[in-house]
Amino acid sequence: MATTPLLSTERPEDPGGEKASEKTGLLHSHLPLDVRNQWYALALSSDIPRAKRGKVGAAAESPMSTSLLGDPLVLWRDLSGKAYCVADRCPHRSAPLSLGKVHDTGHLECIYHGWQIDGTSGKVIEIPALEEGKSIPSNAKVPHYPVFEQDGVVYVWPGSVEEALSASKPARDTDDSGAPLVESSSFVLQTLCIDLPIDHSLMVENLLDPAHVPFAHEGTIGNRKMVEPLHMTVTKTANGFFGRVKEGLRNGFEAPCNIVLYTPPIPGKMDLYQYIGCTPTAPGQMRMIYRAYRNFATFAEKIPPLKRLFDNMTKTIIFQDYQLLLGQQQRLRERALPWNSTIQVDCLPLAYRKYWQRTFGKRSDGPWWRGWDGKMDIEDLEKLGSWDKDFDCNGCALPRRPHHPQNPLEHSGAPGHALRPDYPASWWKPWVPPVTVAVAALIALKLLN
């Protein structure tokens, strides 16, 4: 992809002041401002429940409930595996369709009266209580959302259905040569889908900021003894921009909310590409769709204890960011500014903040859902947001419901059923320390040779 350098490798006279700030405007001026008519990574393909032949009612699969730009959504698959997405509201009595089941016809069945929704059109195609000879009401339908799958990720388009038909598809996860990483036999893929009660803009800025790593990630990927002055060289791409503070490392942004990181432990020998969808599920909420491709320690993906070590390290790094971003979000709710004093290396996240102000940050006519009647204030949507969610054991958000001590359907200590099963039983835990030592020794020997 052709790129255009925007900030020279020579240091400006005023590295952190007004001149640097002015240059950040060049980075986002070419990006589309209509963030409704965009593709958003919303789920991992492996997480979308699928219809099963002969399974109906309580025996059937439950659909996935989530949201996008505040829109309550529900996703599922039919018998053939095709994914669908519609608004999470039954056209009969407004019950959440996500409480229903994926019928073996491939349609979504409402839990209240058994009305079935066709995923292609959003129309009701079955009403069990409808009298013989009567027609299904013409207004018995819900909005449906275009869906696209690629490289193990489900993308949803929250804007015009017609515009989605002619729009470019999401970019693939590729290496520097443009080859799809998921098709490479040299790389293994690590994935994570997790909901976080923080605004997606804070996570995007955080991932574009290499200067925070030695301090916020001390003990994992950070080392304060390695701190040094940083100068960011920035380049514009067709759909975003990326920056470098060192040769061989790269932090990139692709509109509307995607991060691309190239952070190889040993460039040319041990490569690591990270593609991260920081999807805005609502103001103050986000869903992270994380994919990491590495060509080292590939055997670990086939050994559950080692795979868990890699997965837990990734989660630890994410939650090191999470704890500080949650505190930052609290300050912003107290009317603090997202940026005060800045220096030159801040130019990349600053450019994103300027893009955010022109898109997601618009209060009166922004892209956010305004309630089913279209009249909800953004402040009211924020109140329905991050502080009104529970999370299952996999980190997926669930609507918070009042606890009732007499409810036999509640699970003690758990807000809801897990979307994905956890790792196998812990028979392997005693093997973790010796296997870890053995693997570390093997890696050290390979590096020395």
Side-chain angles (χ1 to χ4, degrees):
M1 181 182 295
T3 59
T4 306
L6 291 178
L7 297 181
S8 67
T9 55
E10 297 182 1
R11 299 181 185 275
E13 294 179 2
D14 181 13
E18 186 176 351
K19 293 182 180 178
S21 178
E22 287 175 354
K23 289 185 177 181
T24 63
L26 298 173
L27 292 174
H28 61 82
S29 58
H30 67 297
L31 300 179
L33 301 182
D34 183 2
V35 291
R36 269 271 164 187
N37 287 304
Q38 301 271 358
W39 289 106
Y40 289 84
L42 197 58
L44 296 174
S45 295
S46 57
D47 287 343
I48 305 296
R50 182 173 178 171
K52 294 182 179 179
R53 194 171 300 281
K55 301 293 185 181
V56 297
E61 293 288 322
S62 299
M64 173 189 283
S65 171
T66 186
S67 58
L68 177 56
L69 296 176
D71 295 28
L73 303 178
V74 58
L75 295 93
W76 77 98
R77 297 184 187 277
D78 63 16
L79 287 169
S80 70
K82 184 177 180 180
Y84 300 99
C85 179
V86 301
D88 191 8
R89 176 187 62 84
C90 182
H92 181 210
R93 298 288 304 279
S94 295
L97 290 171
S98 56
L99 296 178
K101 294 290 183 176
V102 182
H103 198 274
D104 71 350
T105 58
H107 303 304
L108 185 59
E109 182 180 86
C110 180
I111 191 175
Y112 206 172
H113 299 90
W115 289 29
Q116 292 184 27
I117 310 295
D118 171 60
T120 302
S121 64
K123 295 181 179 179
V124 173
I125 50 87
E126 175 68 25
I127 300 179
L130 186 67
E131 293 179 291
E132 187 175 350
K134 299 292 185 179
S135 300
I136 294 175
S138 60
N139 64 345
K141 57 185 178 181
V142 294
H144 64 288
Y145 296 73
V147 174
F148 179 74
E149 287 194 66
Q150 181 173 262
D151 295 341
V153 176
V154 176
Y155 295 86
V156 172
W157 181 279
S160 164
V161 175
E162 292 72 23
E163 290 201 31
L165 297 175
S166 58
S168 299
K169 295 298 187 286
R172 300 197 66 179
D173 299 349
T174 62
D175 61 17
D176 285 348
S177 70
L181 284 161
V182 75
E183 298 174 3
S184 172
S185 59
S186 301
F187 287 83
V188 293
L189 171 62
Q190 177 191 7
T191 61
L192 176 69
C193 171
I194 188 168
D195 289 317
L196 298 170
I198 55 176
D199 197 81
H200 84 287
S201 65
L202 299 181
M203 181 61 78
V204 170
E205 290 175 327
N206 173 76
L207 295 172
L208 293 175
D209 174 14
H212 84 285
V213 174
F215 301 97
H217 296 293
E218 190 171 17
T220 53
I221 57 174
N223 184 350
R224 64 173 52 232
K225 295 180 180 179
M226 303 298 289
V227 173
E228 58 185 339
L230 298 176
H231 176 77
M232 180 73 74
T233 301
V234 188
T235 302
K236 181 168 65 175
T237 65
N239 198 44
F241 42 83
F242 67 84
R244 289 191 177 100
V245 292
K246 290 183 180 179
E247 190 63 34
L249 303 179
R250 185 169 65 248
N251 298 61
F253 168 73
E254 294 292 308
C257 59
N258 301 302
I259 294 293
V260 182
L261 304 178
Y262 178 59
T263 53
I266 303 178
K269 291 185 178 180
M270 300 171 66
D271 289 323
L272 176 62
Y273 294 89
Q274 298 174 81
Y275 285 80
I276 309 167
C278 299
T279 302
T281 49
Q285 296 182 62
M286 63 164 287
R287 167 166 285 191
M288 177 180 284
I289 306 295
Y290 176 86
R291 295 94 71 201
Y293 300 85
R294 68 177 190 274
N295 64 355
F296 57 93
T298 56
F299 54 84
E301 290 300 300
K302 298 180 181 179
I303 305 174
L306 296 183
K307 174 175 169 55
R308 184 165 188 136
L309 285 176
F310 273 91
D311 290 346
N312 284 344
M313 173 61 77
T314 298
K315 292 177 184 177
T316 299
I317 294 169
I318 290 172
F319 277 92
Q320 284 179 321
D321 286 327
Y322 168 78
Q323 64 178 359
L324 69 91
L325 296 179
L326 197 63
Q328 183 185 15
Q329 178 160 283
Q330 180 61 34
R331 292 295 174 263
L332 296 183
R333 286 178 169 172
E334 296 164 355
R335 302 308 182 196
L337 296 174
W339 288 91
N340 300 291
S341 300
T342 61
I343 60 175
Q344 195 279 336
V345 76
D346 294 328
C347 63
L348 203 62
L350 273 172
Y352 168 75
R353 178 56 61 173
K354 289 180 178 293
Y355 166 76
W356 177 89
Q357 288 171 343
R358 302 172 66 204
T359 52
F360 301 101
K362 299 174 70 174
R363 307 290 289 185
S364 58
D365 57 347
W368 302 102
W369 185 65
R370 301 290 179 172
W372 299 111
D373 61 357
K375 298 178 181 179
M376 181 185 292
D377 292 333
I378 190 72
E379 290 80 7
D380 293 331
L381 180 58
E382 289 175 336
K383 292 176 183 177
L384 293 173
S386 54
W387 307 114
D388 292 316
K389 296 288 184 182
D390 280 317
F391 298 89
D392 67 19
C393 65
N394 290 304
C396 293
L398 301 166
R400 179 170 293 169
R401 297 185 176 91
H403 165 69
H404 197 294
Q406 299 299 315
N407 185 358
L409 299 179
E410 285 187 14
H411 294 258
S412 176
H417 296 286
L419 175 65
R420 298 178 296 278
D422 202 358
Y423 288 89
S426 56
W427 59 267
W428 45 263
K429 284 188 176 181
W431 292 90
V432 171
V435 171
T436 303
V437 172
V439 170
L442 286 172
I443 293 175
L445 287 173
K446 287 185 178 180
L447 294 178
L448 291 174
N449 294 332

